[in-house]
Amino acid sequence: MDALTPPPITEPPDDQPPVATAPTQSGPLCKACGIAAVVHWLRRPTDSEVTEAAAVEKERRAQVLLLTDPQLPRPEFGPLPTAADMTRTVYACASHAITLEAAALLHQSRCTAPNEADLPACDCTPEAPPQTPPTEPPPARALPAHWVTGDA
Ligand SMILES: [Zn+2]
Ligand SMILES: [Zn+2]
């Protein structure tokens, strides 16, 4: 009579995903040289970037319509995004940075900055960025005396 032999111990398959090696650099990189960026500014999107964004938005809307209960009213979508609604961020390292004044402006889509030939300026005429109206502080109102705590 054979002795009961335990089933051979099989090593569990090594199905752990390989540990992703951390990238040597994280965050945005300089558009000119590819090292870690320290500054950025905005520019208008190019035509192809606008087309791409509109295509993504159309796809999203198609998905929404697909998932919408037909009993419910059709969702209303606004106009597709245009260049006026979008900006793109340009990153640069310290040695490829344009001036602070230029970086505060919104550059044209064809702006080639940071381009060594034009630094620390750029080859476009940037526009003033959309202004957000300054938020007015609420008017100061005196609290009743018996609500004021602390040192008088
Ligand atoms: Zn650089
Ligand atoms: Zn520019």
Side-chain angles (χ1 to χ4, degrees):
M1 175 175 160
D2 290 349
L4 283 174
T5 50
I9 298 165
T10 53
E11 289 285 321
D14 188 15
D15 59 356
Q16 293 293 314
V19 178
T21 48
T24 49
Q25 281 179 340
S26 60
L29 303 176
C30 174
K31 189 187 162 200
C33 66
I35 72 166
V38 293
V39 298
H40 70 265
W41 57 90
L42 297 176
R43 66 165 171 79
R44 288 292 182 195
T46 61
D47 287 347
S48 62
E49 285 167 340
V50 174
T51 308
E52 193 181 312
V56 169
E57 177 61 11
K58 273 186 201 163
E59 179 68 20
R60 188 190 72 82
R61 292 178 183 188
Q63 283 296 319
V64 170
L65 286 177
L66 210 62
L67 299 172
T68 301
D69 186 338
Q71 309 273 342
L72 295 173
R74 256 172 88 91
E76 291 286 335
F77 298 116
L80 284 171
T82 66
D85 308 320
M86 290 181 237
T87 55
R88 286 289 180 269
T89 308
V90 183
Y91 296 96
C93 69
S95 52
H96 288 118
I98 60 173
T99 62
L100 184 60
E101 293 75 35
L105 301 172
L106 180 52
H107 292 254
Q108 294 178 20
S109 61
R110 59 169 183 80
C111 179
T112 59
N115 181 3
E116 302 228 27
D118 302 307
L119 286 174
C122 72
D123 63 344
C124 83
T125 308
E127 56 185 293
Q131 292 293 321
T132 48
T135 49
E136 299 245 338
R141 294 194 183 92
L143 285 169
H146 60 280
W147 273 57
V148 181
T149 58
D151 301 344

